[in-house]
Amino acid sequence: RSFSSQTDGEARVTRVLREKFPRASAIKVVDISGGCGAMYEIHIESEEFREKRTVQQHQMVNQALSEEIKNMHGLRIFTSTPK
Amino acid sequence: MSVVVRAAWRLGAAAVRGRAGRPLSQAATSGGEAEGGGGSGSREAVERLVREHPVVVFMKGSPEQPLCGFSNAVVQILRLHGVEDYRAHDVLQDPDLRQGIKNYSNWPTIPQVYLNGEFVGGCDILLQMHQNGDLVEELKKLGIRSALLDAEKDQDKK
């Protein structure tokens, strides 16, 4: 999906992630609730995740989005480190 | 990826496309009650539950009837590995537990999987562990032999 067709929710979540993960090399946020802002799928690749267990990496994303998450029904998180 | 694992991945992905539950924020309003003492959502109560069995799952619905796609995915993955003997707690039956388990693990979503009393993650993490072989290893540490090991052996024989 091109950047220009992001929903407001996707844009907001992406913005928060960019702020909280300044070293992220790739961030992709997709509203998987059909644009309702109820459920998001988040892909984020960052050096900040290196050497951390997956659950810790996901925890970092949860903390970063703690405010946004309050308004979501659910979210899926996929973290990775740059090759 | 072996046929079994690929099929399992499709199962996991399809299982996730279940119905949405209540907003995560709703569970936060457990009436302003203090968590101390013996409430079902207290730290002590949750601690007791996660230590009850090597495999403990907090989910929506039950293994026989999951009420959420993500919870269903966890149940299906465990079933694939032949893990049918585990403790499952339906958080929809107990709002205090629903909030308590989120506070305990500092994790905002359900389902939550605990292995040997330790929080492992939710549906996405379990799916990842299933796909990359980590789940077989973690089960082995608990003295549980994954059914997939036998399935692969049978495949090799053919």
Side-chain angles (χ1 to χ4, degrees), chain A residues 7 9 23 30 35-36 41 46-47 52-53 56 59 66 77:
Chain A
T7 66
R23 299 174 67 193
V30 184
C36 294
E41 190 173 291
S46 176
E47 199 54 49
K52 294 192 164 65
R53 292 160 87 205
Q56 289 175 284
Q59 198 66 290
S66 56
I77 301 173

Side-chain angles (χ1 to χ4, degrees), chain B residues 22-23 27 60 91-92 94-102 110:
Chain B
R22 303 206 316 265
K60 293 182 178 179
V91 301
L92 297 179
D94 186 344
D96 287 337
L97 176 62
R98 185 175 180 172
Q99 187 53 45
I101 194 66
K102 292 176 184 177
I110 304 292

Side-chain angles (χ1 to χ4, degrees), chain A residues 39 53-55 58-59 62-63 69-70 72-78, chain B residues 16 21-25 70 105-108 118-120 124-125 128:
Chain A
M39 203 171 293
R53 292 160 87 205
T54 307
V55 66
H58 287 210
Q59 198 66 290
N62 285 336
Q63 314 278 37
I69 285 175
K70 285 180 190 161
M72 296 178 192
H73 280 271
L75 79 164
R76 310 198 65 187
I77 301 173
F78 299 90
Chain B
V16 161
R22 303 206 316 265
L24 302 177
S25 57
F70 300 127
S105 57
N106 192 22
W107 188 267
E118 193 185 319
F119 178 58
V120 156
D124 289 334
I125 290 181
Q128 191 179 311

Side-chain angles (χ1 to χ4, degrees), chain B residues 56-70:
Chain B
V56 180
V57 173
F58 297 85
M59 61 181 289
K60 293 182 178 179
S62 65
E64 297 74 34
Q65 190 175 56
L67 295 178
C68 147
F70 300 127

